Amino acid sequence: MKPVLLAYYDNAPFGVSLLEDKFEVINLWEVTSPAPLIEANRDRVTTILCSMMHDMNADVIKSFPNLKMIATYSVGYDHIDIKAAQECGVKVSNTPDVLNAETADTGMALLLATAKRIVENDKFLRAGKWLEGYLPCGTSLADKTIGIVGLGGIGKKVAKRCEAFEMNVVYHGRSKQDVAYTYYDDLKAMALECDFLMLTCPGGATTQNLINAEILQALGENGMLINIARGSVVDEPALIKALNEGIIKGAGLDVFADEPNVPEALMAMDNVVLLPHIGSATTETRSKMGQLVIDNILAHFDGKELLTEVKI
Ligand code: 8YV
Protein backbone atom coordinates (compact mmCIF):
# COMPACT_ATOMS: atom_id res chain seq x y z
CA MET A 1 0.00 0.00 0.00
CA LYS A 2 1.35 3.43 -0.93
CA PRO A 3 1.88 6.05 1.80
CA VAL A 4 -0.67 8.85 1.87
CA LEU A 5 0.20 12.39 0.83
CA LEU A 6 -2.32 14.97 1.96
CA ALA A 7 -2.32 17.87 -0.51
CA TYR A 8 -3.91 20.97 1.00
CA TYR A 9 -2.68 22.89 -2.04
CA ASP A 10 -2.60 22.02 -5.74
CA ASN A 11 1.06 23.03 -6.15
CA ALA A 12 0.04 24.86 -9.32
CA PRO A 13 1.30 24.93 -12.00
CA PHE A 14 3.14 21.74 -11.03
CA GLY A 15 0.39 19.23 -10.33
CA VAL A 16 0.71 16.86 -7.40
CA SER A 17 -0.16 14.15 -9.93
CA LEU A 18 3.62 13.96 -10.46
CA LEU A 19 3.79 12.25 -7.07
CA GLU A 20 1.13 9.63 -7.76
CA ASP A 21 3.64 6.91 -8.66
CA LYS A 22 4.92 6.85 -5.11
CA PHE A 23 2.01 8.16 -3.02
CA GLU A 24 -1.69 7.83 -2.69
CA VAL A 25 -2.41 11.53 -3.15
CA ILE A 26 -5.47 12.97 -1.43
CA ASN A 27 -6.32 16.32 -2.97
CA LEU A 28 -8.04 18.28 -0.22
CA TRP A 29 -8.15 21.38 -2.42
CA GLU A 30 -10.62 19.61 -4.71
CA VAL A 31 -13.29 19.06 -2.06
CA THR A 32 -15.51 21.55 -0.25
CA SER A 33 -15.51 19.80 3.13
CA PRO A 34 -12.12 18.12 3.65
CA ALA A 35 -12.65 17.04 7.30
CA PRO A 36 -14.11 13.54 6.63
CA LEU A 37 -11.30 12.78 4.16
CA ILE A 38 -8.70 13.83 6.69
CA GLU A 39 -10.34 11.73 9.44
CA ALA A 40 -10.60 8.64 7.26
CA ASN A 41 -6.89 8.77 6.42
CA ARG A 42 -5.34 10.40 9.49
CA ASP A 43 -3.29 7.35 10.54
CA ARG A 44 -1.89 6.73 7.05
CA VAL A 45 -0.71 10.26 6.28
CA THR A 46 3.08 10.46 6.02
CA THR A 47 3.41 13.67 4.02
CA ILE A 48 1.59 17.00 3.88
CA LEU A 49 1.82 19.49 1.03
CA CYS A 50 0.55 22.91 2.08
CA SER A 51 1.04 26.61 1.55
CA MET A 52 1.19 29.70 3.70
CA MET A 53 -2.58 29.88 4.30
CA HIS A 54 -2.69 26.45 5.99
CA ASP A 55 -2.17 26.61 9.74
CA MET A 56 0.16 23.75 10.70
CA ASN A 57 0.16 24.36 14.43
CA ALA A 58 1.33 21.88 17.06
CA ASP A 59 -2.14 20.32 17.46
CA VAL A 60 -2.49 19.73 13.72
CA ILE A 61 1.00 18.24 13.46
CA LYS A 62 0.48 15.97 16.47
CA SER A 63 -2.89 14.78 15.16
CA PHE A 64 -1.16 12.81 12.38
CA PRO A 65 0.61 9.94 14.20
CA ASN A 66 2.66 8.82 11.18
CA LEU A 67 3.48 12.20 9.70
CA LYS A 68 7.12 12.43 8.56
CA MET A 69 7.25 15.51 6.33
CA ILE A 70 5.55 18.83 5.61
CA ALA A 71 6.45 20.48 2.31
CA THR A 72 5.23 24.05 2.03
CA TYR A 73 4.81 25.83 -1.28
CA SER A 74 6.23 29.05 0.16
CA VAL A 75 9.48 30.48 1.41
CA GLY A 76 7.68 31.69 4.56
CA TYR A 77 7.06 29.10 7.27
CA ASP A 78 5.37 31.20 9.93
CA HIS A 79 2.25 29.04 9.46
CA ILE A 80 4.16 25.94 10.65
CA ASP A 81 5.16 25.26 14.24
CA ILE A 82 8.71 24.19 13.39
CA LYS A 83 9.56 23.35 17.01
CA ALA A 84 6.55 21.03 17.29
CA ALA A 85 7.47 19.46 13.95
CA GLN A 86 11.01 18.79 15.15
CA GLU A 87 9.76 17.31 18.41
CA CYS A 88 7.53 14.95 16.42
CA GLY A 89 10.36 14.01 14.03
CA VAL A 90 8.61 15.74 11.12
CA LYS A 91 10.90 17.30 8.51
CA VAL A 92 9.84 20.59 6.91
CA SER A 93 10.86 21.94 3.52
CA ASN A 94 10.14 25.37 2.00
CA THR A 95 10.90 27.13 -1.30
CA PRO A 96 13.67 29.67 -0.68
CA ASP A 97 15.77 31.52 -3.29
CA VAL A 98 13.78 30.55 -6.40
CA LEU A 99 11.33 33.39 -5.71
CA ASN A 100 13.74 36.10 -4.53
CA ALA A 101 13.98 38.11 -7.75
CA GLU A 102 10.25 37.76 -8.45
CA THR A 103 9.15 38.95 -5.04
CA ALA A 104 11.65 41.81 -5.18
CA ASP A 105 10.20 42.82 -8.56
CA THR A 106 6.73 42.90 -7.00
CA GLY A 107 8.16 45.13 -4.28
CA MET A 108 9.58 47.47 -6.91
CA ALA A 109 6.27 47.48 -8.79
CA LEU A 110 4.50 48.52 -5.57
CA LEU A 111 7.18 51.11 -4.80
CA LEU A 112 6.88 52.69 -8.23
CA ALA A 113 3.09 52.45 -8.32
CA THR A 114 2.73 54.06 -4.90
CA ALA A 115 5.32 56.80 -5.38
CA LYS A 116 4.22 57.71 -8.89
CA ARG A 117 0.48 57.28 -8.19
CA ILE A 118 0.22 54.84 -11.09
CA VAL A 119 -3.06 53.15 -10.12
CA GLU A 120 -4.70 56.42 -9.18
CA ASN A 121 -3.66 57.98 -12.50
CA ASP A 122 -4.92 54.94 -14.43
CA LYS A 123 -8.34 55.28 -12.75
CA PHE A 124 -8.27 59.03 -13.37
CA LEU A 125 -7.67 58.60 -17.11
CA ARG A 126 -10.30 55.87 -17.48
CA ALA A 127 -12.84 58.08 -15.73
CA GLY A 128 -12.32 60.64 -18.50
CA LYS A 129 -10.85 63.18 -16.07
CA TRP A 130 -7.71 63.98 -18.12
CA LEU A 131 -9.83 66.41 -20.06
CA GLU A 132 -10.12 68.43 -16.84
CA GLY A 133 -6.41 68.45 -15.91
CA TYR A 134 -3.98 66.36 -13.87
CA LEU A 135 -3.69 64.73 -10.47
CA PRO A 136 -1.05 66.14 -8.11
CA CYS A 137 2.53 65.04 -9.00
CA GLY A 138 4.10 61.88 -7.63
CA THR A 139 7.27 61.40 -5.57
CA SER A 140 10.77 60.68 -6.95
CA LEU A 141 12.74 57.57 -6.07
CA ALA A 142 16.17 58.85 -7.18
CA ASP A 143 18.30 60.34 -4.40
CA LYS A 144 15.83 59.15 -1.75
CA THR A 145 16.60 56.79 1.12
CA ILE A 146 14.93 53.40 1.33
CA GLY A 147 15.13 51.33 4.49
CA ILE A 148 14.90 47.59 3.96
CA VAL A 149 13.58 45.69 6.95
CA GLY A 150 15.10 42.20 6.79
CA LEU A 151 18.04 41.99 4.40
CA GLY A 152 17.65 38.31 3.46
CA GLY A 153 17.50 36.83 -0.02
CA ILE A 154 14.53 38.94 -1.11
CA GLY A 155 15.76 42.07 0.69
CA LYS A 156 19.13 41.87 -1.09
CA LYS A 157 17.42 41.67 -4.48
CA VAL A 158 15.34 44.72 -3.54
CA ALA A 159 18.51 46.56 -2.50
CA LYS A 160 20.18 45.82 -5.85
CA ARG A 161 17.15 47.08 -7.74
CA CYS A 162 16.95 50.23 -5.60
CA GLU A 163 20.62 50.94 -6.34
CA ALA A 164 19.77 50.86 -10.04
CA PHE A 165 17.06 53.42 -9.29
CA GLU A 166 19.80 55.64 -7.76
CA MET A 167 18.43 55.32 -4.25
CA ASN A 168 20.38 55.35 -1.00
CA VAL A 169 19.86 51.91 0.56
CA VAL A 170 19.97 51.30 4.32
CA TYR A 171 18.73 48.31 6.30
CA HIS A 172 17.57 46.97 9.63
CA GLY A 173 17.66 43.35 10.73
CA ARG A 174 18.79 41.02 13.48
CA SER A 175 22.47 41.64 12.74
CA LYS A 176 24.89 43.71 10.69
CA GLN A 177 25.97 42.02 7.46
CA ASP A 178 29.01 42.27 5.26
CA VAL A 179 27.36 44.60 2.72
CA ALA A 180 27.97 48.17 1.58
CA TYR A 181 24.62 49.48 2.89
CA THR A 182 24.34 51.34 6.20
CA TYR A 183 23.02 49.17 9.03
CA TYR A 184 20.69 50.38 11.77
CA ASP A 185 20.14 48.13 14.75
CA ASP A 186 17.42 50.56 15.82
CA LEU A 187 14.38 50.49 13.53
CA LYS A 188 13.00 53.83 14.70
CA ALA A 189 16.35 55.55 14.11
CA MET A 190 16.33 54.12 10.57
CA ALA A 191 12.71 55.13 9.91
CA LEU A 192 13.56 58.72 10.89
CA GLU A 193 16.15 58.80 8.06
CA CYS A 194 14.00 57.09 5.42
CA ASP A 195 11.67 58.25 2.67
CA PHE A 196 10.51 54.68 2.07
CA LEU A 197 10.40 51.52 4.15
CA MET A 198 10.27 48.16 2.37
CA LEU A 199 9.42 45.12 4.49
CA THR A 200 11.05 41.85 3.40
CA CYS A 201 11.52 40.13 6.76
CA PRO A 202 9.94 36.81 7.77
CA GLY A 203 6.60 36.78 9.59
CA GLY A 204 6.06 35.15 12.96
CA ALA A 205 6.34 36.01 16.63
CA THR A 206 9.64 37.91 16.42
CA THR A 207 8.38 40.40 13.83
CA GLN A 208 4.74 40.68 14.94
CA ASN A 209 3.60 44.35 14.72
CA LEU A 210 7.20 45.50 14.23
CA ILE A 211 5.82 48.42 12.23
CA ASN A 212 3.69 50.16 14.83
CA ALA A 213 2.41 53.71 15.37
CA GLU A 214 5.81 54.90 16.62
CA ILE A 215 7.68 53.64 13.55
CA LEU A 216 5.08 55.12 11.21
CA GLN A 217 5.36 58.46 13.01
CA ALA A 218 9.14 58.27 12.53
CA LEU A 219 8.74 57.52 8.81
CA GLY A 220 6.84 60.76 8.61
CA GLU A 221 4.37 62.67 6.50
CA ASN A 222 6.26 62.22 3.23
CA GLY A 223 7.12 58.59 3.94
CA MET A 224 5.74 55.51 2.22
CA LEU A 225 5.54 51.92 3.42
CA ILE A 226 5.85 48.92 1.10
CA ASN A 227 5.02 45.48 2.51
CA ILE A 228 5.89 42.31 0.61
CA ALA A 229 6.64 40.32 3.78
CA ARG A 230 3.68 39.29 5.93
CA GLY A 231 0.65 41.25 7.11
CA SER A 232 1.53 40.32 10.69
CA VAL A 233 4.65 42.53 10.53
CA VAL A 234 2.46 45.66 10.47
CA ASP A 235 0.03 46.86 13.12
CA GLU A 236 -2.76 47.26 10.53
CA PRO A 237 -5.08 49.53 12.59
CA ALA A 238 -2.08 51.79 13.29
CA LEU A 239 -1.27 51.87 9.57
CA ILE A 240 -4.86 52.78 8.67
CA LYS A 241 -4.78 55.59 11.24
CA ALA A 242 -1.41 56.82 9.94
CA LEU A 243 -2.68 56.90 6.36
CA ASN A 244 -5.97 58.56 7.31
CA GLU A 245 -4.31 61.25 9.39
CA GLY A 246 -1.44 62.02 7.01
CA ILE A 247 1.14 60.65 9.45
CA ILE A 248 2.61 58.86 6.41
CA LYS A 249 1.93 59.63 2.76
CA GLY A 250 1.12 56.27 1.20
CA ALA A 251 1.49 52.51 1.23
CA GLY A 252 1.89 49.65 -1.22
CA LEU A 253 0.69 46.37 0.26
CA ASP A 254 0.87 42.82 -1.08
CA VAL A 255 0.08 41.21 2.27
CA PHE A 256 -2.50 41.72 5.01
CA ALA A 257 -3.19 40.70 8.59
CA ASP A 258 -6.22 38.52 7.79
CA GLU A 259 -5.91 37.38 4.17
CA PRO A 260 -7.93 37.29 2.00
CA ASN A 261 -9.90 39.86 4.01
CA VAL A 262 -8.71 43.41 3.41
CA PRO A 263 -10.02 46.23 5.63
CA GLU A 264 -12.62 48.42 3.90
CA ALA A 265 -10.74 51.44 5.20
CA LEU A 266 -7.69 50.54 3.07
CA MET A 267 -9.85 49.83 0.03
CA ALA A 268 -11.31 53.31 0.24
CA MET A 269 -7.93 55.09 0.15
CA ASP A 270 -6.42 56.57 -3.01
CA ASN A 271 -2.91 56.79 -1.54
CA VAL A 272 -2.69 53.01 -1.16
CA VAL A 273 -1.92 50.34 -3.77
CA LEU A 274 -3.29 46.91 -2.88
CA LEU A 275 -2.33 43.53 -4.33
CA PRO A 276 -3.79 40.09 -3.47
CA HIS A 277 -0.52 38.51 -2.24
CA ILE A 278 1.03 38.03 -5.68
CA GLY A 279 4.68 38.50 -4.68
CA SER A 280 5.88 35.28 -6.34
CA ALA A 281 3.01 34.92 -8.80
CA THR A 282 4.45 34.44 -12.26
CA THR A 283 4.21 31.23 -14.23
CA GLU A 284 7.99 30.90 -14.28
CA THR A 285 8.56 31.39 -10.56
CA ARG A 286 5.55 29.37 -9.43
CA SER A 287 6.83 26.51 -11.64
CA LYS A 288 10.21 26.66 -9.92
CA MET A 289 8.52 26.64 -6.50
CA GLY A 290 6.32 23.71 -7.50
CA GLN A 291 9.29 21.75 -8.82
CA LEU A 292 11.19 22.37 -5.60
CA VAL A 293 8.24 21.13 -3.53
CA ILE A 294 8.14 17.92 -5.54
CA ASP A 295 11.93 17.45 -5.48
CA ASN A 296 11.92 17.82 -1.69
CA ILE A 297 9.11 15.28 -1.27
CA LEU A 298 10.80 12.79 -3.59
CA ALA A 299 14.19 13.27 -1.88
CA HIS A 300 12.56 12.46 1.45
CA PHE A 301 10.75 9.47 -0.03
CA ASP A 302 14.09 8.14 -1.34
CA GLY A 303 15.72 8.57 2.08
CA LYS A 304 17.92 11.46 0.90
CA GLU A 305 18.60 14.87 2.48
CA LEU A 306 15.96 17.48 1.73
CA LEU A 307 17.08 20.08 -0.80
CA THR A 308 15.76 22.99 1.24
CA GLU A 309 15.04 21.90 4.78
CA VAL A 310 13.80 24.43 7.32
CA LYS A 311 15.97 24.24 10.42
CA ILE A 312 15.83 26.44 13.49
C1 8YV B 1 3.10 32.04 -1.38
C2 8YV B 1 4.62 33.46 -0.09
O1 8YV B 1 3.82 30.88 -1.26
O2 8YV B 1 6.50 32.11 -0.50
C3 8YV B 1 5.84 32.75 0.33
O3 8YV B 1 6.17 32.80 1.54
O4 8YV B 1 4.07 34.19 0.66
C4 8YV B 1 4.03 33.22 -1.45
O5 8YV B 1 5.00 33.04 -2.41
C5 8YV B 1 2.21 31.94 -2.56
O6 8YV B 1 1.32 33.00 -2.46
C6 8YV B 1 1.44 30.64 -2.68
O7 8YV B 1 0.52 30.51 -1.66
Side-chain angles (χ1 to χ4, degrees):
M1 204 192 279
K2 290 179 194 167
V4 168
L5 182 145
L6 211 49
Y8 283 80
Y9 198 68
D10 68 350
N11 208 40
F14 254 82
V16 281
S17 57
L18 290 169
L19 297 163
E20 276 165 1
D21 265 3
K22 319 245 169 169
F23 292 91
E24 179 184 332
V25 177
I26 298 181
N27 288 315
L28 295 180
W29 50 273
E30 280 180 339
V31 296
T32 36
S33 29
L37 257 184
I38 297 176
E39 278 323 310
N41 293 286
R42 190 172 289 288
D43 293 353
R44 294 201 302 130
V45 173
T46 64
T47 311
I48 285 178
L49 193 166
C50 65
S51 190
M52 46 107 203
M53 64 292 259
H54 306 113
D55 184 7
M56 293 291 142
N57 60 41
D59 289 344
V60 173
I61 293 170
K62 287 177 187 159
S63 73
F64 295 99
N66 292 308
L67 184 62
K68 298 283 178 291
M69 180 185 187
I70 300 174
T72 183
Y73 181 89
S74 61
V75 62
Y77 48 84
D78 46 310
H79 55 297
I80 306 173
D81 187 331
I82 303 294
K83 202 164 157 276
Q86 284 177 349
E87 279 164 15
C88 297
V90 174
K91 299 228 179 228
V92 178
S93 70
N94 66 341
T95 61
D97 303 330
V98 292
L99 47 57
N100 289 352
E102 205 64 70
T103 310
D105 285 351
T106 303
M108 296 311 289
L110 275 176
L111 179 63
L112 283 161
T114 309
K116 297 175 81 69
R117 313 177 76 146
I118 297 292
V119 178
E120 214 184 329
N121 269 299
D122 177 277
K123 285 188 196 150
F124 178 85
L125 181 150
R126 288 171 199 259
K129 293 191 180 161
W130 194 6
L131 301 168
E132 297 158 25
Y134 290 90
L135 283 176
C137 288
T139 301
S140 298
L141 299 189
D143 302 324
K144 296 287 177 60
T145 296
I146 184 160
I148 298 176
V149 179
L151 197 70
I154 296 171
K156 287 197 175 83
K157 293 282 187 191
V158 169
K160 209 169 164 188
R161 283 154 175 72
C162 289
E163 281 188 88
F165 278 86
E166 300 172 36
M167 303 182 81
N168 174 38
V169 177
V170 301
Y171 71 104
H172 165 78
R174 274 170 306 182
S175 50
K176 188 172 178 343
Q177 301 186 41
D178 187 17
V179 290
Y181 317 120
T182 302
Y183 173 66
Y184 286 83
D185 65 353
D186 185 300
L187 178 56
K188 186 177 169 193
M190 181 172 89
L192 282 167
E193 297 302 318
C194 286
D195 303 287
F196 302 95
L197 281 184
M198 171 95 70
L199 312 182
T200 57
C201 56
T206 51
T207 56
Q208 178 89 29
N209 288 346
L210 193 63
I211 306 299
N212 56 24
E214 194 186 7
I215 302 299
L216 294 167
Q217 186 82 49
L219 180 59
E221 60 184 354
N222 291 316
M224 296 183 190
L225 177 76
I226 309 299
N227 191 3
I228 52 168
R230 283 290 182 264
S232 61
V233 181
V234 177
D235 176 344
E236 212 165 64
L239 173 63
I240 291 169
K241 187 168 186 289
L243 287 161
N244 263 332
E245 296 178 6
I247 292 166
I248 67 167
K249 189 165 191 164
L253 308 170
D254 185 42
V255 288
F256 304 88
D258 179 30
E259 295 175 10
N261 302 304
V262 177
E264 283 296 328
L266 287 175
M267 300 238 215
M269 291 174 187
D270 286 332
N271 55 340
V272 174
V273 179
L274 305 171
L275 296 178
H277 201 144
I278 58 159
S280 63
T282 60
T283 311
E284 294 86 346
T285 294
R286 288 284 169 91
S287 298
K288 288 179 197 159
M289 290 166 69
Q291 181 70 64
L292 190 49
V293 167
I294 287 173
D295 290 348
N296 269 300
I297 292 174
L298 292 179
H300 187 255
F301 183 90
D302 291 337
K304 295 183 188 147
E305 289 270 299
L306 302 190
L307 282 80
T308 50
E309 181 173 356
V310 176
K311 290 180 181 155
I312 47 162

